[in-house]
Amino acid sequence: MEIEQLDEIIESLLFVSGDGIGISDIVDLLELQNSEVKQSINRLKKKYSGKCGIHLMSYNGKVQFGSNPAYADTIACVLNPIKEKELSNATLETVAIIAYKQPVTRLEIEQIRGVNCDYAIQVLLKHNLIEVVGRKDVVGKPLLFGTTDAFLKRFQIESIEQLPDYEQLLASIKVLEEGNKAQPEEVSLYNEFELPEEEMPEFLEAETDLQKIG
């Protein structure tokens, strides 16, 4: 198969599918060499990059077309006339901890953050950024949480291995916790579900542009 033809076929597959397609599936179904398909994908990544409205994303061994994050605000205005509540900084910190420590229980997350995380976990489950991956073999059999392919797509990383150093994340959270302790606690029946404005970890700053595309 000619190089140009292969690129056009894979381009068509990704367009029609809409969802992520496994690179191994493309290799098997088209009866091609893995290197041929990967070279084609790299060429398409160069084609769909930069200022192009469509970008080619790769994550967890899959490839998929997505919108250019630079145009997230405009796309959100057109496609989301009723704008969903954006993910709070506290929720972003929760998903960051899950990404690094997975599989992890709710209690383990709360021990790191120092606050109740029930609400944040429910929001992340709703947005399909995390999922239940099992139960921990201890008393009570608590649920274990892990990230999903949707998490990788949203933060535009190919795998969890691409996350930055975990110690940097812990240092950021420690600063946040010290800031929270310095503030007087409000008496409210809903305190455990409040989402304070907090500084997010550096690797999640790009979420500001990405989170509006649901």
Side-chain angles (χ1 to χ4, degrees):
M1 185 181 298
E2 296 182 358
I3 292 177
E4 184 177 348
Q5 183 182 23
L6 174 58
D7 291 355
E8 292 171 351
I9 289 175
I10 294 179
E11 185 178 33
S12 299
L13 286 172
L14 295 172
F15 176 79
V16 173
S17 172
D19 295 325
I21 301 179
I23 296 176
S24 60
D25 292 332
I26 297 176
V27 171
D28 294 339
L29 295 175
L30 295 182
E31 298 182 349
L32 296 170
Q33 295 295 320
N34 188 62
S35 59
E36 293 179 287
V37 173
K38 285 190 174 182
Q39 288 172 8
S40 177
I41 290 173
N42 287 335
R43 289 191 293 269
L44 289 174
K45 279 186 176 181
K46 291 181 180 179
K47 178 179 179 180
Y48 293 101
S49 62
K51 294 184 178 181
C52 182
I54 297 173
H55 280 192
L56 181 59
M57 306 179 295
S58 59
Y59 58 94
N60 205 21
K62 300 178 181 179
V63 285
Q64 179 179 354
F65 277 139
S67 61
N68 187 332
Y71 308 132
D73 290 339
T74 303
I75 294 172
C77 288
V78 175
L79 298 182
N80 301 324
I82 302 177
K83 186 179 179 182
E84 292 186 2
K85 181 180 179 181
E86 296 180 356
L87 296 180
S88 70
N89 293 339
T91 307
L92 293 173
E93 289 161 10
T94 301
V95 76
I97 293 171
I98 294 174
Y100 280 101
K101 303 292 287 185
Q102 61 184 306
V104 61
T105 67
R106 177 185 59 80
L107 180 59
E108 290 168 337
I109 298 169
E110 292 176 350
Q111 287 174 341
I112 295 175
R113 290 211 65 238
V115 296
N116 184 287
C117 295
D118 284 340
Y119 182 82
I121 288 175
Q122 290 303 314
V123 171
L124 293 170
L125 287 169
K126 177 182 177 181
H127 286 269
N128 194 34
L129 295 177
I130 64 171
E131 63 184 352
V132 175
V133 296
R135 289 183 177 273
K136 190 168 185 177
D137 189 17
V138 295
V139 177
K141 301 289 184 180
L143 296 175
L144 289 167
F145 298 98
T147 55
T148 63
D149 284 350
F151 169 84
L152 297 178
K153 288 191 292 184
R154 189 151 193 169
F155 295 100
Q156 293 196 334
I157 56 177
E158 295 189 14
S159 66
I160 295 300
E161 285 70 27
Q162 289 188 351
L163 292 173
D165 184 68
Y166 180 59
E167 295 302 323
Q168 295 177 10
L169 175 64
L170 288 182
S172 297
I173 292 175
K174 183 177 181 180
V175 171
L176 295 175
E177 290 177 348
E178 292 175 350
N180 290 338
K181 291 178 181 178
Q183 299 177 357
E185 183 177 357
E186 296 182 8
V187 178
S188 169
L189 292 176
Y190 302 97
N191 274 347
E192 62 177 340
F193 297 119
E194 288 179 355
L195 299 175
E197 290 297 327
E198 303 169 335
E199 179 185 355
M200 70 181 70
E202 293 181 0
F203 90 96
L204 289 173
E205 291 179 353
E207 171 66 8
T208 302
D209 296 325
L210 298 176
Q211 61 193 355
K212 298 174 184 176
I213 306 176

